[in-house]
């Protein structure tokens, strides 16, 4: 099978991002774009982001995770610390997260250093999750090979009984990572492929802003 997608072509015209329009603080700029996407009501999972890690095999791997919090310190997501990504981050905390919001013709790419959040923060978030999601975290040995789907469903039944009327404790291997950013790129689609790209490098209150060629 051969499929030529050469005619898939879209023109971008919805907005612009100049150095003057961008905020000197990239977190504020991120917040501005995030809220604009949120309030546009056109994006279903605004907080879905692609997380790229360098694996133990030396290959980059990316997958989607959900952003659960952002502030001046960075960007937080939750996962299984024993998963493939968890092991990759333990060996090499340099990661990249990116957002693609096609409805607003925007992309944001953030490089940074990931570290585990405090146990207290992971506990608080875990306890706030719906019971089904809590059980899912207990049931699934994320990224391990399992024999079949029944393996998960049987474990779920056992744990549902066990925690029928008890609070479910957060498994130690499940928690948050905070990504402390050191580089941001904001991409806004423009006509004729002359897109706007504003890159920030640096750290807290010491950001340098530059325009990159598209
Ligand atoms: C929309 C979406 C949201 C997801 N959110 C998360 C998440 O927040 N945490 C997580 O561990 N996996 C999440 N996943 C699953 C991951 O993409 C991935 O399959 C899983 O974390 C295992 O990745 P790994 O084997 O590379 O560690 C999500 C997937 C999708 C498509």
């Amino acid at each position: 099978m051969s499929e030529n997608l050469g005619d898939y072509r879209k023109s971008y015209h919805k907005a612009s991002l100049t150095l003057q329009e961008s905020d000197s603080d990239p977190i504020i700029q991120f917040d501005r774009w995030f809220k604009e996407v949120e309030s546009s009501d056109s994006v279903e999972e605004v907080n879905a982001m692609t997380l790229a890690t360098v694996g133990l095999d030396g290959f980059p791997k990316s997958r989607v995770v959900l952003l659960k919090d952002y502030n001046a310190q960075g960007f937080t997501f939750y996962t299984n610390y024993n998963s493939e990504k968890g092991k990759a981050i333990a060996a090499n905390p340099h990661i990249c997260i990116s957002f693609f919001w096609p409805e607003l013709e925007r992309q944001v790419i953030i490089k940074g250093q990931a570290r585990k959040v405090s146990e207290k923060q992971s506990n608080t978030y875990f306890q706030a999750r719906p019971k089904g999601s809590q059980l899912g975290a207990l049931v699934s040995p994320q990224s391990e090979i399992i024999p079949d789907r029944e393996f998960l469903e049987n474990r779920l039944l056992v744990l549902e009984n066990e925690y029928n009327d008890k609070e479910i404790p957060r498994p130690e291997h499940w928690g948050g990572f905070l990504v402390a950013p050191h580089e941001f790129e904001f991409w806004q689609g423009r006509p004729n492929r002359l897109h706007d790209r504003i890159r920030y490098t640096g750290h807290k209150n010491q950001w340098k802003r530059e325009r990159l060629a598209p």
Side-chain angles (χ1 to χ4, degrees):
M1 143 122 49
S2 162
E3 185 78 15
N4 186 337
L5 307 176
D7 284 341
Y8 276 33
R9 204 162 280 129
K10 179 178 151 52
S11 177
Y12 303 102
H13 53 82
K14 289 195 174 153
S16 65
L17 183 67
T18 62
L19 279 171
Q20 291 69 31
E21 285 162 348
S22 63
D23 198 277
S24 58
D25 181 337
I27 305 268
I28 293 177
Q29 181 60 41
F30 179 86
D31 182 53
R32 196 181 282 169
W33 269 22
F34 192 87
K35 292 200 168 122
E36 283 173 11
V37 177
E38 243 180 350
S39 62
S40 76
D41 272 341
S42 57
V43 181
E44 209 154 286
E45 287 194 288
V46 183
N47 61 331
M49 60 184 190
T50 300
L51 163 72
T53 52
V54 179
L56 303 182
D57 57 4
F59 280 89
K61 181 181 171 186
S62 55
R63 78 290 279 159
V64 173
V65 295
L66 296 178
L67 177 67
K68 287 294 167 177
D69 181 38
Y70 65 88
N71 56 40
Q73 270 63 54
F75 298 79
T76 301
F77 64 92
Y78 289 84
T79 193
N80 185 316
Y81 291 140
N82 295 334
S83 64
E84 188 176 344
K85 76 181 89 49
K87 288 176 182 162
I89 292 171
N92 180 353
H94 296 153
I95 60 94
C96 181
I97 53 183
S98 63
F99 298 81
F100 176 41
W101 295 309
E103 294 78 358
L104 275 83
E105 303 170 349
R106 286 176 176 170
Q107 171 180 237
V108 181
I109 305 173
I110 301 164
K111 288 189 201 168
Q113 180 123 350
R115 61 167 189 271
K116 287 182 182 174
V117 304
S118 70
E119 296 201 358
K120 187 167 169 253
Q121 187 178 334
S122 288
N123 288 340
T124 305
Y125 176 68
F126 187 79
Q127 292 312 333
R129 300 182 90 202
K131 203 163 182 180
S133 309
Q134 292 179 341
L135 286 170
L138 262 73
V139 163
S140 173
Q142 194 176 59
S143 316
E144 298 292 323
I145 295 167
I146 52 170
D148 45 33
R149 188 167 177 87
E150 282 68 50
F151 170 88
L152 298 174
E153 284 168 0
N154 293 340
R155 275 171 72 123
L156 181 62
L157 279 178
V158 172
L159 290 167
E160 271 173 348
N161 283 330
E162 190 176 332
Y163 291 106
N164 184 25
D165 48 6
K166 280 191 280 185
E167 188 173 281
I168 303 167
R170 175 184 65 87
E172 259 178 44
H173 61 260
W174 191 96
F177 279 112
L178 171 78
V179 181
H182 64 75
E183 185 180 306
F184 288 74
E185 182 190 322
F186 292 86
W187 183 100
Q188 178 70 59
R190 300 294 308 274
N192 305 316
R193 298 292 178 264
L194 298 182
H195 313 302
D196 288 332
R197 296 177 66 194
I198 304 295
R199 182 178 68 188
Y200 297 69
T201 43
H203 56 274
K204 249 189 220 168
N205 308 327
Q206 297 274 319
W207 295 99
K208 185 165 83 174
R209 252 181 307 168
E210 290 152 314
R211 175 180 281 275
L212 302 180

